Amino acid sequence: MIECINNNGEKIWYESDLLSHAQAQLAFDIDYWKNNDKITGSAQGRGTTWFIEYEDRKDIALRHYYRGGFFGKILTDQFLFRSWVNSRSVQEMKILDALVKSAVNVPTPLGARTVRHGCYYTCDIITARISDAQDLVSVLVNDSIEPDVYLKIGREIKKMHRAGVNHADLNIHNILLDAYSKVWLIDFDKCRLTSSSSSDASNRWQQSNLDRLKRSFLKEFGKHNIHWQESKDWQSLLAGYHSG
């Protein structure tokens, strides 16, 4: 169950089955984790995602939201405040929660925080960390993958679409394979829950997701010469998608 802590100028939403009230209060304080020697690693993207040892569970991931593009150079991590529930961290947490309930392989959300600064806000999210996983770019730079893995990727994307989630940035950096070749989908910032109706009009966003993913494969093939064949591998992914 998602519960909310309302502090002065700050709100924290958390999964009460996974975090206690006291834990949720401390969980977003990176200095707290550093001082207790709980940082186990980090990943660099638009900002830093911190991997944290959390009690007897596997690592959790703490990510602060940053802007991209031109405005990112000016406002860095500030977003225009419209309402608490429309903050990017809360929206991503809701989408992840819906996907977990639909049995899509995504990081389990633990909590989201939004801090208001007048007309703007900053925000963070905490999810479970996916252990021993690499994105498709890292995998395909070194070797090809089997057709059955592409089938699984296509099926996982179809599960996401059936759950009504329109992925704003479906690319091969946001598809992970773990040590058991289990497929995971990540990075649901700015994504939307929408109708999963099968009508032609509503299927446009689903096809747009697939088109974006194909462009990503082609881009990385040209940039990094990844082990990928459009005629074979892309067709295997589509076969998985349409059989899902």
Side-chain angles (χ1 to χ4, degrees):
M1 179 184 296
I2 297 178
E3 298 190 11
C4 182
I5 300 170
N6 190 357
N7 295 323
N8 184 26
E10 171 193 65
K11 288 192 178 184
I12 296 172
W13 293 260
Y14 66 100
E15 288 282 359
S16 57
D17 294 335
L18 302 174
L19 292 176
S20 69
H21 184 282
Q23 289 167 332
Q25 292 270 35
L26 291 170
F28 295 92
D29 184 353
I30 190 62
D31 290 330
Y32 167 79
W33 297 115
K34 288 179 178 178
N35 292 337
N36 285 275
D37 197 27
K38 295 295 185 180
I39 304 296
T40 61
S42 63
Q44 296 296 322
R46 189 171 292 167
T48 300
T49 297
W50 295 100
F51 302 130
I52 298 161
E53 179 187 346
Y54 177 65
E55 295 186 347
D56 58 345
R57 295 188 180 92
K58 296 179 181 178
D59 285 359
I60 59 175
L62 169 59
R63 173 165 53 89
H64 187 69
Y65 287 74
Y66 288 93
R67 281 183 173 274
F70 173 77
F71 286 108
K73 299 177 181 178
I74 302 171
L75 298 175
T76 62
D77 65 345
Q78 296 180 326
F79 304 91
L80 181 63
F81 184 88
R82 292 186 174 89
S83 70
W84 292 102
V85 295
N86 285 324
S87 68
R88 286 166 69 159
S89 58
V90 175
Q91 288 299 304
E92 185 168 2
M93 184 178 182
K94 286 182 176 180
I95 287 173
L96 287 172
D97 185 61
L99 288 170
V100 169
K101 290 176 179 175
S102 297
V104 183
N105 296 332
V106 297
T108 301
L110 278 72
R113 178 177 70 164
T114 300
V115 182
R116 186 173 183 179
H117 310 273
C119 296
Y120 296 92
Y121 71 91
T122 57
C123 57
D124 311 85
I125 192 168
I126 293 177
T127 64
R129 183 186 180 188
I130 302 169
S131 300
D132 300 320
Q134 298 183 80
D135 66 34
L136 277 186
V137 177
S138 301
V139 174
L140 293 173
V141 161
N142 294 312
D143 203 354
S144 58
I145 57 178
E146 296 297 320
D148 69 303
V149 178
Y150 282 108
L151 288 171
K152 290 194 290 184
I153 293 170
R155 291 179 187 132
E156 207 61 34
I157 294 170
K158 186 56 175 269
K159 284 165 59 180
M160 175 184 72
H161 284 169
R162 280 183 172 167
V165 173
N166 181 352
H167 200 299
D169 191 21
L170 186 61
N171 63 63
I172 62 176
H173 291 278
N174 292 332
I175 299 174
L176 308 185
L177 295 180
D178 67 17
Y180 303 97
S181 293
K182 183 176 181 178
V183 177
W184 297 83
L185 305 179
I186 64 169
D187 195 1
F188 289 88
D189 182 24
K190 297 189 293 185
C191 296
R192 299 191 306 277
L193 277 169
T194 185
S195 170
S196 55
S197 165
S198 59
S199 69
D200 289 341
S202 67
N203 280 345
R204 290 174 185 166
W205 63 266
Q206 298 166 341
Q207 185 59 50
S208 177
N209 281 190
L210 293 172
D211 292 343
R212 187 181 187 91
L213 178 60
K214 184 177 180 180
R215 291 195 298 271
S216 175
F217 274 108
L218 291 169
K219 176 183 176 181
E220 298 302 334
F221 180 77
K223 187 176 180 180
H224 295 297
N225 196 29
I226 60 173
H227 294 78
W228 179 77
Q229 298 180 44
E230 180 179 351
S231 60
K232 177 172 68 75
D233 298 331
W234 181 249
Q235 294 308 311
S236 293
L237 187 151
L238 289 181
Y241 182 85
H242 292 298
S243 69

